[in-house]
């Protein structure tokens, strides 16, 4: 039955149809076959707060490439999808929605800030339960946007296993982990310095604070001695916090202040008497060598206060305004208070000097507000008992981190880790399973809400209002998504997972914590390998951000260029450790590649339809892989034409190279390899070589072997392309004659051409013919003969080479568009004009127009200079001791061989120049 094959490739007509088909048929559920090799990856869960960005598409593309590749290699693959509740981000979005509803007429750059303030007010007004209901409503209305995008982008996940970090089963698992860790003493409550975001109204971890260099000031302030005998000058970058000073500290080795230690000074402006203490932490080279100690507003000062039993005075509140302890500055914004304090110090003669000073300022990663170090009662997790097994897991290779430089970064951070503040002052998220007895003060941690106090039996219990840091629940993702704490079949089959892929920006937020918690609760690593992918940047290599206005919407890109072209552009740019620059030019070139694939498939299929029906019926069976052998020719090598031996040998090599590249996450190499093979070898050479056979009228009684070999190579090429370009390859594969019943190319095990078809001799012979055709084409172009069919003379001292050319003369003439060829043993005289030389043969075009000797001399001179540069480069490589010692032997041999060929070619060019005079 003939098919209508559109002349023009239209992604918009093909991609949505296959995306829907894959989902409706649940194609990517793993089978129940326990004997098959399994491969599992649980998705880095996108936040429910919005749509996917190009970073997600990059991540999902490289994951999907690996999943499809593993399926075609016979693995039983599970790619488990899901989303994260994104506590702070979701709460901020819902607050903004509330604010927009109350202030619908606001516009301009200040609108968002006003909506946020109004939304916070309305949240408090409506109460916790109603606000959480509103968050769930928002999630149900908007949370599916990511799934729809992933489906459209071709992610081959098992949607029947989709998880959400706040679904009931997941929430029970989070509570179970908290209860167990608390019972072991690994979770505790205490009052310590935390990073506080005044805008978000919650504590944030060190990892959620972004530090940036800013130009600030260093204020030198005089602290008078209590006895009036002078003063100590203290240097500070934060004069507003000095109101909370409880000491001045100096280094005990600093002789300048040896007589001051143990004496008292008067705190300027508030006239509070505070001591001078000696502490090793003080850097005598910073400022004056004397520093103020503000235990309630600096983590280092908090530690000094613990060592010296100093009080803690809180002068800045959670709203970033000065507290009653700040005296006359109470109620002021912290930065407003700074200006007032500096002015008052100046008026009292206590401000000695002000210096410009570059300092690192910490801001909330989410809202960019400057964070405030505050003394706050929070819940913490002890990290040291958890970090040691996670360090060993990486050091002994149970978790392999790729690229390797991130292994050192991971270990350096883990060795310097501090206890983790896991509580957040948010409403949306996992509420801590903690209750406080109002009668006796007992703290209870339980899986279910207790009815009475375990200590005094009263029913007057108050639940904890804090929620858990989002990364606490996300850290459980690899095993909770598979059913933990229940011992499910999925957990047994797929844990540990095989791979995790993420960007560097969440290596510590998420990667390290998954390893720690996996080792703790599963006594095994959560994944065998951790690949850190590149980051996406714009065409100018700037990091994408909403504030810069250079964020690229993946759906806009795929609507314009097609999903396959976009995926391929991402893959061919995804070199390990190298950020990716997006540009329209790059995407245009891979849309052209998709068109090339479509046009090649259309040409083959259109000619296939011209075959007699009786001949087409048997093609499906003939195209099946040979058991234990693969997609090899159906006849012996001796019966094959040179072009067939060459293309099957190249297919075997390309398949091997792609397998090696993908196994080492070198997506760019794999994509480049299949791009070059399909366009420049399969289309430009093989398809053109066999074109006369497949376009000729076919006899009823016999199907040409060329047809079978062409279709076998084409189908193999579609398999190699499929992980990168799933839609177009699925469409073309379904149009091929097939005897099997597999519903998708992605589920058809790919048996590539086996190593026995590797034929380096045939590859070399074919490459020599290619070189002759290219030399003839280039010579025609240089002489302006593109529209003519001149005759050529080919000369070589190698008789076997001349016989090779003579045996394929008809095809060479067709591919190079030549009238006739004759062959001569020996060399050609350059002074005859129109001669092109190579290391193994010479070519002369016969043309009616006379060759200009001067133009020929200039051409040969340019060729000589080009060869001299290439020879110099090869010579430097061969003279480089490090290269000769470290490069693989085959690479060195290749350079040596190239140097020899270049030298021979160079000498022939010199000879030609000499003959021209």
């Amino acid at each position: 039955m003939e098919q209508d094959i559109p002349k023009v490739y239209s992604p918009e007509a093909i991609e949505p149809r296959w995306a829907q088909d894959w989902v409706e048929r649940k194609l990517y559920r793993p089978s129940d076959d326990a004997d098959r090799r399994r491969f599992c990856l649980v998705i880095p869960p996108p936040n429910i707060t919005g749509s996917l960005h190009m970073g997600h598409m990059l991540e999902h593309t490289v994951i999907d490439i690996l999943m499809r590749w593993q399926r075609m290699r016979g693995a039983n693959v599970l790619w488990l999808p899901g989303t994260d509740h994104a506590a702070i981000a979701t709460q901020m979005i819902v607050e903004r929605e509330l604010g927009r509803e109350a202030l619908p007429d606001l516009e301009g750059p200040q609108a968002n800030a006003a909506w946020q303030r109004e939304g916070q007010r309305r949240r408090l007004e409506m109460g916790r339960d109603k606000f959480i209901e509103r968050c769930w409503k928002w999630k149900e209305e908007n949370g599916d946007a990511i799934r729809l995008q992933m489906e459209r982008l071709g992610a081959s996940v098992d949607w029947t296993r989709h998880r959400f970090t706040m679904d009931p089963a997941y929430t029970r698992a989070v509570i179970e982990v908290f209860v167990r860790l608390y019972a072991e003493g690994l979770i505790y409550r205490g009052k310590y310095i935390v990073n506080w975001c005044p805008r978000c109204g919650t504590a944030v971890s060190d990892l959620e604070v972004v530090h940036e260099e800013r130009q600030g000031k260093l204020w030198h302030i005089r602290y008078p001695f209590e006895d009036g005998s002078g003063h100590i000058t203290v240097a500070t970058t934060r004069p507003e916090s000095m109101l909370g000073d409880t000491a001045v500290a100096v280094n005990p080795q600093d002789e300048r202040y040896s007589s001051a230690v143990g004496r008292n000074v008067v705190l300027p402006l508030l006239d509070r008497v505070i001591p001078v203490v000696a502490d090793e932490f003080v850097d005598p080279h910073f400022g004056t060598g004397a520093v103020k100690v503000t235990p309630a507003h600096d983590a280092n000062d908090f530690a000094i206060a613990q060592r010296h039993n100093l009080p803690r005075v809180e002068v800045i509140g959670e709203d970033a305004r000065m507290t009653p302890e700040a005296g006359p500055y109470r109620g002021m914004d912290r930065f407003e208070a700074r200006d007032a304090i500096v002015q008052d110090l100046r008026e009292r003669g206590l401000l000695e000097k002000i210096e410009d000073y570059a300092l690192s300022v910490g801001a909330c990663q989410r809202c960019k507000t400057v964070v405030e170090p505050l003394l706050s009662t929070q819940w913490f997790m002890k990290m040291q008992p958890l970090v040691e097994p996670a360090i060993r897991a990486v050091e002994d290779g149970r978790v392999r981190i790729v690229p390797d430089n991130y292994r050192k970064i991971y270990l350096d951070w883990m060795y310097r880790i501090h206890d983790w503040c896991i509580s957040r002052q948010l409403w949306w998220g996992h509420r801590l399973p903690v209750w406080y007895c109002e009668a006796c003060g007992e703290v209870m941690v339980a899986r279910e809400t207790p009815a009475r106090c375990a200590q005094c039996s009263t029913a007057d219990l108050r639940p904890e209002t804090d929620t858990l840091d989002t990364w606490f629940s996300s850290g459980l993702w690899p095993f909770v998504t598979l059913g933990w704490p229940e011992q499910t079949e999925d957990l047994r089959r797929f844990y540990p997972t095989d791979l995790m892929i993420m960007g560097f920006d969440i290596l510590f937020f998420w990667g390290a914590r998954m390893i720690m918690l996996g080792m703790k609760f599963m006594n095994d690593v959560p994944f065998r390998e951790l690949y850190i992918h590149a980051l996406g940047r714009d065409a100018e290599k700037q990091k994408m951000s909403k504030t810069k206005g250079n964020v690229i919407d993946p759906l806009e890109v795929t609507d314009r260029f097609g999903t396959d072209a976009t995926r391929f552009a991402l893959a061919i740019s995804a070199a390990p450790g190298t950020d990716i620059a997006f540009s329209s030019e790059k995407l245009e070139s891979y849309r052209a590649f998709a068109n090339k694939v479509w046009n090649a498939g259309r040409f083959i299929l259109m000619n296939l339809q011209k075959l007699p029906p009786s001949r087409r019926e048997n093609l499906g069976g003939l195209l099946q892989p040979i058991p234990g052998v693969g997609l090899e020719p159906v006849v012996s090598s001796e019966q094959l034409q040179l072009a067939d031996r060459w293309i099957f040998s190249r297919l075997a090599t390309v398949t091997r190279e792609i397998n090696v590249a993908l196994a080492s996450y070198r997506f760019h190499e794999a994509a480049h390899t299949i791009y070059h093979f399909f366009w420049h070898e399969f289309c430009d050479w093989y398809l053109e070589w066999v074109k006369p056979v497949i376009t000729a009228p076919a006899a009823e009684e016999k199907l040409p072997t060329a047809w079978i070999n062409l279709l076998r190579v084409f189908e193999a090429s579609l398999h190699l392309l499929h992980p990168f370009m799933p839609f177009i390859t699925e469409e073309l594969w379904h149009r091929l004659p097939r005897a099997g019943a597999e519903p998708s190319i992605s589920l058809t095990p790919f048996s590539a051409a086996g190593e026995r078809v590797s034929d380096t001799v045939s590859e070399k012979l074919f490459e020599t013919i290619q070189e002759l055709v290219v030399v003839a084409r280039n010579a025609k172009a240089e002489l302006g003969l593109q529209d003519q069919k001149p005759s050529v003379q080919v000369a070589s001292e190698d008789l076997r080479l001349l016989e090779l050319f003579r045996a394929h003369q008809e095809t060479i003439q067709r591919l190079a568009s030549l009238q006739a060829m004759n062959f001569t043993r020996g060399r050609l005289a350059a002074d005859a004009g129109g001669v092109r030389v190579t290391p193994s043969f010479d070519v002369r075009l016969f043309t009616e127009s006379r060759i200009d000797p001067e133009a020929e001399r200039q051409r040969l001179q340019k060729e000589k200079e080009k060869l001299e540069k290439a020879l110099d480069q090869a010579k430097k490589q061969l003279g480089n001791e490090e290269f000769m010692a470290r490069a693989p032997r085959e690479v060195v041999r290749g350079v040596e061989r190239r140097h020899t060929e270049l030298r021979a070619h160079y000498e022939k060019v010199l000879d030609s120049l000499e003959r021209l005079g």
Side-chain angles (χ1 to χ4, degrees):
M1 177 178 162
E2 294 194 359
Q3 306 175 60
D4 177 32
I5 306 169
K7 187 174 182 179
V8 177
Y9 173 57
S10 301
E12 65 275 11
I14 290 172
E15 293 175 351
R17 173 163 48 84
W18 283 115
Q20 183 179 357
D21 178 82
W22 294 334
V23 173
E24 288 178 351
R25 290 198 285 169
K26 299 181 176 66
L27 283 189
Y28 299 117
R29 295 183 65 179
S31 76
D32 295 329
D33 186 355
D35 295 329
R36 282 174 61 192
R37 176 178 66 86
R38 69 100 207 246
F39 192 88
C40 178
L41 181 145
V42 291
I43 196 171
N47 294 343
I48 61 167
T49 51
S51 58
L52 298 179
H53 52 66
M54 285 303 288
H56 288 118
M57 187 169 183
L58 166 64
E59 189 168 84
H60 293 175
T61 294
V62 297
I63 293 174
D64 194 54
I65 287 169
L66 293 174
M67 298 301 103
R68 292 176 183 274
W69 174 60
Q70 287 287 350
R71 287 190 191 96
M72 290 192 298
R73 296 177 70 218
N76 195 16
V77 171
L78 169 60
W79 181 10
L80 189 148
T83 48
D84 191 278
H85 64 280
I88 293 180
T90 301
Q91 181 158 319
M92 286 180 66
I93 284 178
V94 175
E95 285 176 348
R96 196 178 301 127
E97 289 289 318
L98 292 171
R100 186 183 284 113
E101 291 171 5
L103 305 170
D105 298 327
L106 280 185
E107 294 180 356
Q110 304 303 318
N112 272 335
W115 288 334
Q116 203 74 57
R117 287 192 298 271
E118 176 62 20
Q120 285 180 313
R121 189 193 67 77
R122 289 195 64 197
R123 170 174 66 85
L124 296 173
E125 187 179 82
M126 68 195 303
R128 183 175 192 133
D129 291 343
K130 287 189 176 180
F131 179 77
I132 291 175
E133 285 178 14
R134 180 63 183 260
C135 289
W136 277 107
K137 181 175 181 287
W138 186 93
K139 187 264 179 188
E140 296 306 319
E141 292 174 352
N142 300 277
D144 286 339
I146 287 174
R147 171 170 177 161
L148 295 174
Q149 285 182 294
M150 287 181 63
E151 290 176 1
R152 178 64 183 82
L153 299 177
S156 58
V157 301
D158 178 8
W159 289 112
T160 67
R161 285 176 164 86
H162 183 274
R163 298 300 303 270
F164 174 53
T165 52
M166 280 181 63
D167 66 36
Y170 204 103
T171 298
R172 286 194 298 274
V174 171
I175 292 172
E176 182 67 26
V177 166
F178 187 97
V179 170
R180 292 191 193 183
L181 290 173
Y182 181 80
E184 292 183 40
L186 295 178
I187 286 179
Y188 62 94
R189 186 172 184 249
K191 194 169 187 177
Y192 300 94
I193 293 288
V194 298
N195 303 302
W196 185 268
C197 176
R199 161 64 193 78
C200 297
T202 182
V204 292
S205 72
D206 290 344
L207 290 174
E208 294 168 297
V209 177
V210 178
H211 290 272
E212 62 178 50
E213 290 294 320
R214 294 187 187 178
Q215 190 61 41
K217 302 289 184 182
L218 191 63
W219 286 272
H220 292 250
I221 304 169
R222 294 169 177 166
Y223 284 56
F225 283 112
E226 182 185 21
D227 60 10
S229 60
H231 64 266
I232 283 183
T233 301
V234 169
T236 180
T237 59
R238 300 191 66 216
E240 69 275 14
S241 68
M242 67 174 287
L243 305 177
D245 290 358
T246 57
V248 168
V250 297
N251 190 289
Q253 307 302 319
D254 193 338
E255 294 181 357
R256 293 174 296 173
Y257 299 110
S258 58
S259 62
V261 175
R263 298 176 66 187
N264 291 332
V265 294
V266 178
L267 178 65
L269 305 181
L270 294 186
D271 298 331
R272 189 167 63 239
V273 176
I274 57 177
V276 178
V277 299
D279 196 279
E280 293 284 354
F281 174 78
V282 178
D283 178 3
H285 303 293
F286 172 77
T288 64
V291 298
K292 65 190 200 64
V293 180
T294 318
H297 298 287
D298 184 276
N300 296 318
D301 293 0
F302 180 84
I304 292 175
Q306 285 186 309
R307 290 191 287 272
H308 296 274
N309 296 315
L310 300 174
R312 305 158 188 167
V313 179
E314 301 174 44
V315 295
I316 302 176
E318 293 179 354
D319 58 358
R321 293 187 172 275
M322 308 308 288
T323 71
E325 293 284 357
Y329 308 97
R330 66 180 296 175
M332 289 185 181
D333 172 80
R334 53 185 166 167
F335 299 123
E336 179 188 354
R338 173 185 293 181
D339 294 339
I341 289 168
V342 170
Q343 180 60 30
D344 289 347
L345 289 169
R346 183 181 287 112
E347 290 176 358
R348 297 191 188 188
L350 297 175
L351 185 62
E352 189 168 290
K353 65 176 179 177
I354 304 173
E355 295 178 319
D356 289 333
Y357 188 77
L359 66 159
S360 176
V361 177
C364 173
Q365 182 193 51
R366 181 63 55 182
C367 70
K368 313 308 178 191
T369 303
V370 174
V371 298
E372 190 64 44
L374 292 184
L375 195 60
S376 180
T377 300
Q378 301 285 342
W379 288 83
F380 297 85
M381 183 188 295
K382 291 182 181 177
M383 301 310 294
Q384 206 55 45
L386 298 173
V387 78
E388 291 172 3
I391 289 173
R392 288 197 302 272
V394 170
E395 287 182 334
D396 64 22
R398 281 175 289 161
V399 175
R400 175 174 169 253
I401 300 179
V402 181
D404 189 62
N405 61 298
Y406 289 113
R407 178 180 182 273
K408 182 179 186 304
I409 294 171
Y410 166 91
L411 291 173
D412 286 348
W413 184 78
M414 295 290 269
Y415 276 116
R416 294 182 288 105
I417 200 168
H418 302 291
D419 285 1
W420 173 16
C421 176
I422 59 173
S423 51
R424 297 291 181 268
Q425 288 62 57
L426 301 170
W427 287 358
W428 173 249
H430 294 106
R431 199 162 175 172
L432 275 68
V434 177
W435 289 262
Y436 304 98
C437 177
E438 297 285 49
C440 71
E442 177 74 4
V443 178
M444 286 169 286
V445 174
R447 293 172 178 84
E448 304 291 342
T449 303
R452 294 185 173 278
C453 173
Q455 189 71 23
C456 70
S457 298
T458 183
D460 190 9
L461 303 180
R462 174 175 54 85
E464 173 63 79
T465 57
D466 287 356
T467 55
L468 285 164
D469 180 2
T470 296
W471 297 104
F472 183 96
S473 53
S474 298
L476 316 176
W477 187 253
F479 54 93
V480 171
T481 53
L482 295 173
W484 189 93
E486 305 300 326
Q487 295 303 305
T488 63
E489 183 63 18
D490 273 3
L491 192 63
R492 185 190 66 78
R493 288 174 65 196
F494 294 111
Y495 192 94
T497 65
D498 295 273
L499 175 65
M500 177 53 67
I501 293 181
M502 67 180 66
F504 167 69
D505 51 341
I506 58 171
L507 173 59
F508 306 126
F509 278 121
W510 194 42
R513 287 162 178 172
M514 282 191 289
I515 297 174
M516 287 187 278
L517 292 167
M519 293 298 297
K520 174 64 179 175
F521 289 97
M522 294 297 296
N523 198 32
D524 203 348
V525 296
F527 33 76
R528 302 297 187 195
E529 293 195 340
L530 172 58
Y531 174 65
I532 307 298
H533 64 68
L535 298 177
R537 299 184 182 273
D538 66 12
E540 282 69 47
K541 298 188 177 179
Q542 296 294 310
K543 185 176 179 181
M544 292 186 188
S545 72
K546 291 179 181 178
T547 55
K548 291 180 181 177
N550 61 350
V551 173
I552 299 175
D553 182 345
L555 289 186
E556 289 182 9
V557 175
T558 55
D559 285 345
R560 180 179 173 190
F561 299 100
T563 303
D564 281 336
T566 307
R567 286 171 58 115
F568 202 89
L570 289 167
I572 208 165
S573 306
T578 304
D579 290 346
I580 296 173
F582 295 101
S583 68
S584 295
E585 292 78 10
K586 181 179 290 187
L587 291 160
E588 286 278 11
S589 68
Y590 296 114
R591 181 171 66 177
F593 179 53
N595 289 335
K596 184 75 171 181
V597 173
W598 181 259
N599 291 336
R602 184 175 186 274
F603 174 79
I604 292 169
L605 293 166
M606 291 291 286
N607 282 283
L608 184 64
Q609 289 184 1
K610 298 175 184 177
L611 291 176
S614 59
R615 297 294 89 201
R616 276 184 277 159
E617 291 174 1
N618 297 325
L619 271 174
L622 290 170
L623 294 179
Q624 295 306 299
I626 304 168
V629 177
L631 283 169
E632 297 188 358
V634 292
V635 296
S636 65
S637 180
E638 295 77 16
Q639 298 174 276
L640 285 175
Q641 298 293 321
L642 173 62
D644 294 320
R645 297 198 301 273
W646 167 76
I647 196 67
F648 276 102
S649 182
R650 288 295 303 137
L651 179 60
T653 300
V654 164
T655 304
R656 182 174 62 252
E657 289 174 352
I658 289 174
N659 281 336
V660 170
L662 291 181
S664 56
Y665 309 109
R666 304 190 73 81
F667 300 96
H668 65 302
E669 290 183 3
H672 177 78
T673 298
I674 186 56
Y675 177 92
H676 175 77
F677 174 77
F678 193 91
W679 191 314
H680 299 298
E681 295 184 317
F682 177 74
C683 291
D684 288 355
W685 287 99
Y686 186 68
L687 198 53
E688 292 298 322
W689 191 284
V690 302
K691 186 178 285 185
V693 180
I694 66 170
T695 56
E700 181 72 29
E701 67 278 359
K702 183 168 181 171
L703 181 68
T705 302
W707 256 116
I708 302 170
N709 289 332
L710 172 63
L711 289 174
R712 291 174 80 81
V713 174
F714 181 59
E715 183 175 35
S717 301
L718 292 180
H719 274 91
L720 293 174
L721 266 171
H722 178 72
F724 306 91
M725 308 179 87
F727 294 104
I728 193 171
T729 50
E730 185 82 276
E731 178 73 15
L732 291 172
W733 182 80
H734 272 272
R735 292 174 178 269
L736 289 174
R738 293 183 297 116
E742 290 290 356
S744 169
I745 184 174
S746 62
L747 300 181
T748 306
F750 173 47
S751 301
E755 287 302 316
R756 71 178 190 176
V757 300
S758 293
D759 187 343
T760 55
V761 173
S762 292
E763 286 193 39
K764 185 68 176 174
L765 293 175
F766 195 84
E767 287 166 7
T768 305
I769 293 176
Q770 288 176 303
E771 185 180 15
L772 173 56
V773 172
V774 171
V775 167
R777 287 173 177 171
N778 290 343
K780 286 177 59 181
E782 291 166 5
L783 297 171
L785 304 175
Q786 297 96 320
D787 299 329
Q788 299 181 33
K789 296 181 72 174
S791 298
V792 300
Q793 181 182 15
V794 181
S796 175
E797 295 173 345
D798 187 339
L799 279 176
R800 289 174 300 180
L801 205 58
L802 295 176
E803 287 301 318
L804 173 70
F805 294 153
R806 189 175 286 111
H808 298 91
Q809 180 175 346
E810 182 179 344
T811 303
I812 294 171
Q813 288 180 196
R814 176 171 57 84
L815 295 177
S817 192
L818 303 172
Q819 181 67 37
M821 299 173 68
N822 66 64
F823 305 95
T824 304
R825 186 176 186 184
R827 300 292 306 279
L828 294 177
D831 53 6
V835 174
R836 302 295 183 267
V837 298
T838 75
S840 53
F841 61 83
D842 298 341
V843 176
R844 180 167 61 199
L845 270 69
F846 295 102
T847 174
E848 294 179 2
S849 58
R850 187 175 181 275
I851 301 297
D852 181 353
E854 182 56 32
E856 183 67 7
R857 187 179 292 106
Q858 290 179 8
R859 185 191 66 78
L860 287 169
Q861 186 62 36
K862 287 181 180 178
E863 189 169 359
K864 170 178 171 287
E865 291 169 1
K866 181 180 176 183
L867 286 167
E868 284 172 345
K869 289 181 181 178
L871 274 167
D872 184 59
Q873 184 180 7
K875 187 176 179 181
K876 284 180 179 177
Q877 277 189 290
L878 295 173
N880 186 322
E881 293 182 3
E882 185 178 358
F883 169 77
M884 297 296 287
R886 300 182 64 177
R889 184 59 197 152
E890 59 269 21
V891 173
V892 174
R893 282 198 295 265
V895 176
E896 291 172 339
R897 185 165 55 250
R898 174 165 170 73
H899 183 268
T900 302
E901 291 174 352
L902 287 169
R903 189 72 213 175
H905 193 176
Y906 182 68
E907 290 173 358
K908 294 186 83 172
V909 170
L910 290 178
D911 185 39
S912 296
L913 279 168
E914 186 178 343
R915 293 187 187 201
L916 279 173

